[in-house]
Amino acid sequence: MADSVTSRLRGLLASDVYSEKGRLRSDDLLVRERVGRGLGEATARIRDLISAWRADRVPPSTREQPFPPPEVMEPIRRAERLARAIDEAAGAVRGLPVLNQDKVWNRVRQVGLEELMQFDWTLVGESDALSDDLGRTLVLDEIDVAAQEARLRKMREVLADRRRYLEILA
């Protein structure tokens, strides 16, 4: 009787979550969710800082000065570029291929699980650090754009390495 309940649950969920293979897939999705959440929080913080900057520092348009001064708008432009880069990284994480071939998962379980975990650990660590750094930033022009872009570069490199690694296993 228990086997039929398990097979029904597998059929309803369209997944094999009660096996080792299903747990690996579930963990892979959890890592993506965690990284995506950290990047989403970072983007939201940047947007909040931009909004506060506009409210505090950008003067209203007048006939004499219809556009804000460039020195006031430059931190907004830098922050918007950073937010776009973070969104692109989040999209790359969401777009990672799902490993649904049994032979690939068997190889990952046998030889590559530790390496895959290192890639995922780095992604989670970098996204959390990015989110924490931006969460501690109080004013828009205090964002260390170069440091955050370096984190994003590292994440892109890890994503590329992770893809190549899984292609080798496939």
Side-chain angles (χ1 to χ4, degrees), residues 9 15-16 18 40 45 48 51 53-54 71 74 91 93 99 104-105 107 111-112 117 122 125 130 133 142 150 159 168:
L9 280 172
S15 177
D16 201 10
Y18 297 102
R45 180 63 183 154
D48 290 345
S51 177
W53 183 270
R54 283 185 194 275
E71 62 273 2
E74 184 56 31
V93 169
L99 302 175
V104 174
W105 281 109
R107 287 184 187 157
V111 296
M117 285 174 44
T122 303
L130 183 85
D133 284 352
E142 291 178 357
L159 286 169
I168 290 170

Side-chain angles (χ1 to χ4, degrees), residues 26-94:
S26 175
D27 290 347
D28 186 49
L29 294 174
L30 286 173
V31 166
R32 293 170 198 224
E33 174 61 32
R34 173 80 183 268
V35 172
R37 184 186 73 216
L39 295 175
E41 290 172 357
T43 302
R45 180 63 183 154
I46 289 173
R47 297 206 194 300
D48 290 345
L49 290 171
I50 289 172
S51 177
W53 183 270
R54 283 185 194 275
D56 293 342
R57 308 265 176 110
V58 177
S61 296
T62 63
R63 183 175 292 187
E64 294 79 30
Q65 188 174 17
F67 301 107
E71 62 273 2
V72 173
M73 295 304 290
E74 184 56 31
I76 293 175
R77 288 187 196 99
R78 283 195 322 253
E80 287 173 340
R81 282 192 299 269
L82 179 61
R84 280 192 301 275
I86 293 171
D87 286 341
E88 289 171 7
V93 169
R94 283 190 304 270

Side-chain angles (χ1 to χ4, degrees), residues 103-121:
K103 66 180 181 179
V104 174
W105 281 109
N106 286 335
R107 287 184 187 157
V108 168
R109 269 197 307 272
Q110 291 170 359
V111 296
L113 190 57
E114 288 295 320
E115 287 82 2
L116 188 61
M117 285 174 44
Q118 285 300 319
F119 291 130
D120 292 346
W121 183 259

